[in-house]
Amino acid sequence: MDERTRTGKLCLVTGATGYIGGRLVPELLSAGHRVRCLVRDQRRLRDQPWRGRVTAATGDVTRPETLDGAFDGVDVAYYLVHSLGTGPDFEDTDRRAARAFARAAARAGVRRIVYLSGLLPTGVPEAELSPHLRSRAEVGRVLRSAGVPTAELRAAVIIGSGSASFEMLRYLTERLPAMVTPRWVNTRIQPIAVRDVLRYLVAAASLPPEVDRAFDIGGPDVLTYRLMMQRYAKVADLPRRLIVPVPVLTPALSSYWVALVTPVPGPLARPLVESLRHEVVCGEHDIAHWIPDPPQGLTGFDRAVELALRRIREARVTTRWSSASLPGAPSDPLPTDPDWAGGSLYQDLRERRVAADPAAVWRVVEGVGGENGWYSLPFAWALRGTLDRLAGGVGLRRGRRDRDHLRVGDALDFWRVEEIEPGRLLRLRAEMRLPGLAWLELRVAPDGAGGTCYRQRALFHPHGLAGHAYWWSVAPFHSLVFGAMARNITERARAAAVPRSTLNTPTASAPRAHP
């Protein structure tokens, strides 16, 4: 739908493929605003249920030359991106991105910037803050310095289905009935429900122009992390947890512990854990002068947990912390094959014909990963996931957003859905730590004889000598893992279908390289 055919403010949303941005877009639309999404790859929006109601602009906040056209006619610009977990230079990346965004907004005459930041501890000098919180504070100053009225909303732990903070709390509590914990479990925190965060973000679009400042936002409860775990256990009908704090667990050691127990990978867990050493409690509630509390009050912690768990049980988690691409993960699309001129492209190809209709095979294909598993040698997949986590990767614990259905951009264990053509094609791009780029492609097509041809390709583009050595070292295991995967997918589809013929003739090619 063209932006000019709708009324309301034109809102530019960055991070629309992420956890908060993906939930904010439909809320803005429901409030009568028009929405333009700034994304690096417009394909990531294709399967969003609201895609037909928004427009998209291709741009990258770290590349100023891509931004100007995206701000044309924009009334309100939402800054919902950060470089958390990208490495030691993330503060500089955040600074440069915020400066480029603010300058582009000022040149285009944007009337307001809205920025979701982190709640800062009272009385702590900025130099003593964790790098994560220090960077969030600096980004707020950079955005305000451009002369565009800016509302900086500072939140601590956000409680909602799929948020990184909630997943960390959930898995620590559910998997560890007794735990030795770092001292930060006794730090006071003022969490806020994701529904209240979204309410503030939407309402901030209508703040008067003289409002140009930061606001603390939080829920009605102030709790220690230890008490949050105990309250979570109670809401989730779990026995009371035994929690013993010890002084020897540093933030670095704690982040390894969190990465081991929860789906949150080390590069993301560490800055979150480092921030928990500070007491983050709202120092004011001035936002209520412009955005009054709802009649029923802000959402309490227990109610927020209850709502989040209900969404998880009902498989209605619309976005997750893994919705945004993992910082540092490869993003290159699959190169043209076989006429690709970029060097070696290793391939493991498997084809099978099965006496089942394509729809039956597709249901099995689309159900791959997460709780459903990978249809072959679970121990081998678990081992590969563990090795990836030890190397600082995401491992297999991200799971799936939805048990039965996938869309472009979904995280799927240590893969991401790069392309999906319902009933025909599923292409996954690897986000595990690798000396190269990798894809897994699953295709389904009628075989012309009343059955289905299933075609499976694993592809790898090596980086340097290490990449070539990696491929040939794992090629023997691919024969076992990918061979069993193709066989089990077709067998499962055949077993679920009404017997139709005796077609089930496998063919497989050995791993090979395209020059």
Side-chain angles (χ1 to χ4, degrees):
M1 182 178 293
D2 193 290
E3 292 165 350
R4 292 169 295 185
T5 66
R6 297 177 60 90
T7 59
K9 292 180 173 64
L10 176 56
C11 301
L12 180 72
V13 178
T14 61
T17 60
Y19 177 71
I20 292 293
R23 298 188 181 208
L24 176 62
V25 168
E27 295 294 328
L28 289 170
L29 292 170
S30 295
H33 297 302
R34 297 167 291 154
V35 175
R36 182 186 300 164
C37 299
L38 178 67
V39 290
R40 287 175 293 181
D41 183 355
Q42 293 193 25
R43 294 178 305 167
R44 293 286 307 278
L45 298 177
R46 192 190 70 192
D47 295 332
Q48 295 289 348
W50 38 259
R51 178 63 180 95
R53 303 170 62 197
V54 306
T55 58
T58 302
D60 185 340
V61 292
T62 63
R63 298 172 56 204
E65 70 277 7
T66 69
L67 297 181
D68 283 339
F71 287 82
D72 290 348
V74 168
D75 299 300
V76 183
Y78 285 88
Y79 194 76
L80 303 174
V81 295
H82 56 75
S83 302
L84 184 65
T86 57
D89 298 328
F90 82 92
E91 291 181 82
D92 180 60
T93 302
D94 275 344
R95 185 183 309 114
R96 290 186 290 104
R99 188 177 296 126
F101 182 90
R103 288 175 176 173
R107 286 194 299 270
V110 172
R111 299 175 187 176
R112 170 159 303 284
I113 292 174
V114 180
Y115 166 49
L116 181 60
S117 181
L119 187 58
L120 302 178
T122 304
V124 178
E126 191 166 306
E128 297 179 15
L129 294 176
S130 69
H132 165 48
L133 288 180
R134 186 169 62 237
S135 179
R136 291 296 182 97
E138 183 180 16
V139 166
R141 287 198 305 274
V142 169
L143 293 175
R144 287 193 296 274
S145 69
V148 179
T150 299
E152 177 183 352
L153 306 179
R154 294 175 169 173
V157 171
I158 296 177
I159 302 298
S161 57
S163 79
S165 297
F166 180 72
E167 291 293 282
M168 197 168 91
L169 173 69
R170 174 189 170 205
Y171 278 86
L172 286 175
T173 308
E174 291 187 354
R175 293 185 172 179
L176 299 175
M179 62 191 96
V180 175
T181 60
R183 286 178 295 183
W184 52 254
V185 297
N186 291 322
T187 301
R188 294 200 314 155
I189 301 164
Q190 190 164 354
I192 183 170
V194 67
R195 58 171 49 196
D196 289 331
V197 173
L198 295 171
R199 177 176 165 275
Y200 282 130
L201 287 169
V202 172
S206 301
L207 288 171
E210 65 269 18
V211 177
D212 183 21
R213 54 164 290 185
F215 294 97
D216 292 352
I217 59 172
D221 300 307
V222 177
L223 309 165
T224 65
Y225 205 89
R226 180 211 293 251
L227 189 53
M228 287 169 60
M229 287 191 285
Q230 296 291 17
R231 296 265 287 265
Y232 176 96
K234 183 176 181 180
V235 174
D237 290 326
L238 299 172
R240 183 175 177 82
R241 272 28 196 164
L242 176 62
I243 302 171
V244 182
V246 296
V248 296
L249 287 176
T250 65
L253 289 174
S254 298
S255 68
Y256 293 128
W257 169 62
V258 170
L260 178 66
V261 176
T262 81
V264 181
L268 181 57
R270 179 159 186 167
L272 291 176
V273 167
E274 287 178 337
S275 299
L276 289 173
R277 74 173 188 259
H278 302 296
E279 183 173 280
V280 279
V281 176
C282 294
E284 43 82 11
H285 190 49
D286 296 350
I287 191 72
H289 294 306
W290 288 275
I291 307 174
D293 293 348
Q296 72 277 16
L298 296 168
T299 309
F301 176 82
D302 292 357
R303 176 61 174 161
V305 170
E306 179 186 337
L307 292 169
L309 291 177
R310 182 186 302 171
R311 278 187 169 269
I312 292 169
R313 287 193 297 267
E314 296 174 356
R316 294 190 297 116
V317 181
T318 54
T319 62
R320 301 175 66 222
W321 63 270
S322 55
S323 298
S325 295
L326 185 73
S331 59
D332 304 52
L334 179 67
T336 302
D337 177 67
D339 300 321
W340 182 54
S344 296
L345 185 66
Y346 290 110
Q347 173 176 274
D348 181 283
L349 174 64
R350 310 276 161 178
E351 290 186 354
R352 294 181 68 88
R353 297 168 66 195
V354 56
D357 61 44
V361 181
W362 178 254
R363 282 193 295 272
V364 180
V365 167
E366 193 177 10
V368 71
E371 295 179 0
N372 303 325
W374 290 87
Y375 305 130
S376 68
L377 303 179
F379 173 77
W381 285 96
L383 177 61
R384 184 64 183 87
T386 299
L387 293 175
D388 188 56
R389 291 183 73 83
L390 291 175
V394 296
L396 287 176
R397 292 182 179 168
R398 291 191 301 186
R400 298 171 54 108
R401 177 191 57 82
D402 184 285
R403 181 180 174 87
D404 300 310
H405 303 290
L406 296 172
R407 64 190 185 198
V408 169
D410 273 0
L412 183 59
D413 292 329
F414 48 37
W415 305 89
R416 189 170 296 276
V417 179
E418 181 177 271
E419 182 58 81
I420 184 168
E421 298 176 14
R424 296 180 53 202
L425 168 68
L426 174 62
R427 182 184 300 133
L428 308 175
R429 187 184 71 245
E431 290 189 339
M432 72 279 282
R433 296 298 178 96
L434 289 170
L437 303 174
W439 298 265
L440 179 60
E441 188 177 81
L442 314 178
R443 288 183 180 271
V444 175
D447 66 358
T452 300
C453 178
Y454 170 73
R455 189 170 188 261
Q456 174 184 296
R457 289 198 306 167
L459 300 112
F460 182 67
H461 169 217
H463 286 173
L465 182 61
H468 292 278
Y470 169 81
W471 175 263
W472 290 111
S473 68
V474 299
F477 301 101
H478 284 173
S479 297
L480 295 173
V481 172
F482 290 132
M485 183 178 179
R487 181 173 61 253
N488 291 338
I489 284 176
T490 52
E491 286 298 316
R492 183 169 297 194
R494 184 185 62 79
V498 176
R500 298 170 57 174
S501 73
T502 58
L503 279 175
N504 194 11
T505 306
T507 62
S509 71
R512 54 193 175 90
H514 294 301

